[in-house]
Amino acid sequence: DHLAICLVSWYLYQIQKTTHGQEMSQKERKIEGNPIPGRLPRHILTQIFDLYNEEWNSIMEHLQFCFQQETAMVKATDSSDDEWEWWQGNQMTMNFGDLRCANGVGNNNGNEEAEVENENINSSRMMKSCLCSADLIVFSFVLHENSSFLLVQEHNGDYELGGVLKVMLESAKKGAIVICMDSGNTLWPSFRKTALQYGWNVMSDAQKSHKIILGPKSFCLMKRVQICNPNEM
């Protein structure tokens, strides 16, 4: 899944490369040696959050190197040093994250709690910041297995979304797109109910009975079209 997300980052970079006419000469791309704003693709910042992030760190470091090498057009080419440095803004990072809790940290028990608490708090803040500013948010085969932690029962017996998903629905920017892929669609009705209250358009296989060829067994696609909060209505 992490490799697939990295490939999405490369695809987004390539789309921009084509859109911005990247075949222009180096002289055309710069003013007094500096990249021209709007004439070069935006940096693609990919932040991956995982409960077992440490096990993935070495792999992500290699993927990060490959991604930067490609987007920097490889220093062996005639790219100047300042342009090489600018392209290094394309980043992939692996971070700790626990989507079962609204603060993104989770519960740590025993003697290790004090030792990891500060690191987890920083990771929590990073996750919240990412959810507020991200253009594209992907949940890949991780929601269904944690559904018991993500659903909150209301007074009338119905369920709504909780955990970090509720934080995302409340704080994501207008225009943000969310792609959820999973092995089952039992979570989607509650997901949709909560998302609609916060200004999201939602479509899933729970509503539309067709499969994506060579795709996930179940999916949910969302886009935030307006900023609203049901608690303020």
Side-chain angles (χ1 to χ4, degrees), residues 127-220:
M127 179 183 285
K128 287 183 179 180
S129 175
C130 180
L131 291 173
C132 290
S133 61
D135 298 301
L136 176 64
I137 303 169
V138 178
F139 294 96
S140 186
F141 292 88
V142 71
L143 299 181
H144 180 69
E145 64 190 38
N146 290 297
S147 58
S148 61
F149 299 98
L150 299 172
L151 293 175
V152 178
Q153 191 169 18
E154 300 176 303
H155 296 297
N156 61 5
D158 292 338
Y159 287 88
E160 71 167 11
L161 228 52
V164 76
L165 296 183
K166 181 71 173 292
V167 175
M168 178 197 72
L169 295 176
E170 293 174 342
S171 58
K173 68 181 184 180
K174 184 178 179 180
I177 293 174
V178 176
I179 301 175
C180 305
M181 300 168 287
D182 229 307
S183 57
N185 58 20
T186 55
L187 194 62
W188 303 154
S190 298
F191 209 154
R192 183 173 187 273
K193 175 185 175 183
T194 308
L196 291 176
Q197 298 175 19
Y198 289 93
W200 294 79
N201 283 346
V202 185
M203 191 274 285
S204 74
D205 63 311
Q207 305 161 262
K208 217 169 183 180
S209 57
H210 80 270
K211 302 296 182 183
I212 301 176
I213 299 176
L214 299 179
K217 181 178 179 182
S218 181
F219 66 89
C220 183

Side-chain angles (χ1 to χ4, degrees), residues 9 27 40 65 67 89 105 110 121 151 166 182 214 232:
S9 300
K27 183 176 181 181
L40 290 170
F65 174 77
F67 185 55
V105 173
I121 288 175
L151 293 175
K166 181 71 173 292
D182 229 307
L214 299 179
E232 298 175 355

Side-chain angles (χ1 to χ4, degrees), residues 6 9 74 86 156:
C6 294
S9 300
V74 190
W86 189 87
N156 61 5

Side-chain angles (χ1 to χ4, degrees), residues 83-102:
E83 187 168 81
W84 165 263
E85 182 178 351
W86 189 87
W87 283 109
Q88 293 296 298
N90 294 290
Q91 295 282 334
M92 291 180 180
T93 64
M94 172 62 69
N95 312 279
F96 173 83
D98 188 346
L99 57 78
R100 297 172 296 181
C101 301

